Amino acid sequence: MDQERTLLIVAVGVAVAVGCFVLWGPGTFRTKKKKGHIVGLLNLGHTCFLNTLLQGLASCPTVLDWLLQHKDINEDSLVSALRTVLLVLNGEHDSTVSDPYAPTAVISALIRHSWVISPGEQDAHELFHVLLETLEEEMTASSGKNGSLSDVLLLPDRCGQGDDSGVSISSKKSVPNGEINCDGDQHSLLSPVSRFRPIRRIRAGGSDPTAPSVETLPLHSQPNPPPFRGTLTSQLKCTECGFKSALRFDKFDTLSLHLPSVRGLRLTLQMLLDNFVRTETVKDVTCTNCSKGQEKPVQTTAMKTLNFGKLPKCLCLHIVRTTWNKDGSAWKRDDFVDFPEFLIMDNYTHSQVQRNARKMVNTLDSDKTKDVPLKFPSNGSSHVPPQQTESAAPRARHMYRLKAVVVHTGDVNSGHFVTYRKGPINSLIRHRLLNVESKMEHPESRESTRWFFTSDMVVRRATMCDALLSNAYMLFYERCVLPETRFV
């Protein structure tokens, strides 16, 4: 009898202990997160591609400033959800939150905008465009200003297009921050690089447009474009008569940089940028000048130059690592690309290229430099790479500082995303001071100079060297605002 009573007491005690652990266990203590510390993110079923992107965006103060300018949008919007998550990740949210945090509100907002994310791993770069497109739609809808022709030309690129087939049936999964529709199957990851199952959008009635039409153009303009928005300039020059076409402007939110076909080279980010703006030969181009007085348009060969017309506040660079074989199979390249902490973009701009060209002409006409051999770029353009300009740093007008590095580990069929990022945004001067020594004089800024490694719920201290030695897939740079500097 006493033995049975003892066992009953022990059983009741164990039940009470388990109940206390469930209700007031470690999760309660983990919510007491010190302000200014980075918070991890729960993996909701192969959602590392989302978590890694959120950590990268949270490291860019300009992105959060942009979202904070649109507080009038409703709480169910992606703007509100993303703003809350970024504040939570940086330990700047007013309310007490759990660590790790579940970004369910972001996924739910995307679902409400008809985005379909198939089960398995997806591409962080593709999701980046999905987020920007959806954010712009919400901000445009809340704006009361009339549109213009420039808004038509700068429409957001449609990404993640596909047909309506293969739409998966998702199961509900309960998470600490709410309940959303997500896949809980723990099968092997699908490729986040080759995009075998891309993110796609299902419109009303099952339609899925591949491009915007005149009838679907927005009626309102976006007065405050994303901080990643920049413009590229392109121009054609006839090799027969030297006639130059009108300068064309195209918007961009991210730059996809391709690796050279030859392997084994020591690659740098500047080399990839040089290749991106390399002058190309275009055949069968109708030359307006050569066609004057002719019965039929004259087809000639032209040289196409590409440069930056306007650089963004935040520069997102995407290193394309998927290579396709002749038989259609894909494989991932792991070539290491050396990238700097400070990136100078002056000599990639259209205005600087024109100035460099005029300087070369003046040098050729100068008697003092007749015997001095000139070194022209191998790509045939007047572009001078930043690393070849000795005095570029003191006169830099477009200098960027590294904020985050997104890395994909694994092969083309499976893998995982991690992020190296700068510390929390807890000071108004965190990203506007170029002098590191003066920055360290402000105690509130010290945390923002530190680097962290984030992998879903794992967050640990790292060094800038760790970030620079990583095999980058996406790079986030932010412009350094220098004193007494005006930007074009």
Side-chain angles (χ1 to χ4, degrees), residues 41 166 208 249 268 355 419 476:
L41 289 168
D208 189 10
F249 295 87
T268 65
R355 284 191 288 266
T419 302
F476 289 91

Side-chain angles (χ1 to χ4, degrees), residues 265-283:
L265 301 176
R266 182 184 178 277
L267 301 177
T268 65
L269 183 61
Q270 286 84 353
M271 291 173 59
L272 301 187
L273 286 170
D274 291 340
N275 183 67
F276 182 82
V277 299
R278 185 182 67 240
T279 301
E280 298 179 349
T281 302
V282 183
K283 297 182 179 180

Side-chain angles (χ1 to χ4, degrees), residues 201-357:
R201 199 168 197 177
I202 305 302
R203 300 288 189 179
S207 61
D208 189 10
T210 58
S213 62
V214 176
E215 291 76 15
T216 60
L217 293 177
L219 299 178
H220 301 94
S221 64
Q222 169 54 271
N224 190 9
F228 297 97
R229 179 63 47 81
T231 57
L232 291 169
T233 63
S234 59
Q235 192 172 42
L236 295 174
K237 181 179 179 180
C238 179
T239 57
E240 298 293 332
C241 65
F243 175 78
K244 293 183 179 180
S245 66
L247 201 62
R248 175 178 174 178
F249 295 87
D250 296 288
K251 68 93 177 178
F252 72 91
D253 291 319
T254 179
L255 300 177
S256 292
L257 306 178
H258 292 266
L259 299 173
S261 56
V262 180
R263 304 195 63 184
L265 301 176
R266 182 184 178 277
L267 301 177
T268 65
L269 183 61
Q270 286 84 353
M271 291 173 59
L272 301 187
L273 286 170
D274 291 340
N275 183 67
F276 182 82
V277 299
R278 185 182 67 240
T279 301
E280 298 179 349
T281 302
V282 183
K283 297 182 179 180
D284 300 329
V285 176
T286 301
C287 178
T288 304
N289 189 55
C290 294
S291 300
K292 291 181 178 179
Q294 304 295 328
E295 295 182 357
K296 297 182 179 180
V298 178
Q299 303 289 325
T300 63
T301 300
M303 303 300 293
K304 180 181 179 181
T305 58
L306 183 69
N307 292 289
F308 295 92
K310 181 180 180 181
L311 287 165
K313 297 177 181 178
C314 290
L315 185 62
C316 178
L317 303 176
H318 164 230
I319 300 177
V320 181
R321 295 192 173 275
T322 301
T323 301
W324 300 90
N325 297 321
K326 294 181 179 179
D327 60 357
S329 60
W331 57 284
K332 176 188 171 185
R333 293 184 58 173
D334 291 318
D335 308 54
F336 176 74
V337 178
D338 188 11
F339 53 92
E341 179 187 7
F342 290 97
L343 178 64
I344 300 175
M345 295 291 294
D346 288 50
N347 287 306
Y348 296 107
T349 62
H350 175 75
S351 57
Q352 186 62 42
V353 167
Q354 298 301 314
R355 284 191 288 266
N356 291 341

Side-chain angles (χ1 to χ4, degrees), residues 113-154:
H113 282 273
S114 304
W115 288 106
V116 176
I117 304 177
S118 302
E121 192 75 25
Q122 298 293 338
D123 187 6
H125 179 247
E126 183 178 13
L127 180 63
F128 174 77
H129 284 282
V130 170
L131 290 177
L132 288 186
E133 178 177 348
T134 308
L135 290 171
E136 278 201 279
E137 288 179 357
E138 291 184 346
M139 294 178 181
T140 300
S142 65
S143 174
K145 295 184 178 181
N146 294 326
S148 62
L149 181 60
S150 61
D151 301 314
V152 176
L153 299 177
L154 298 181

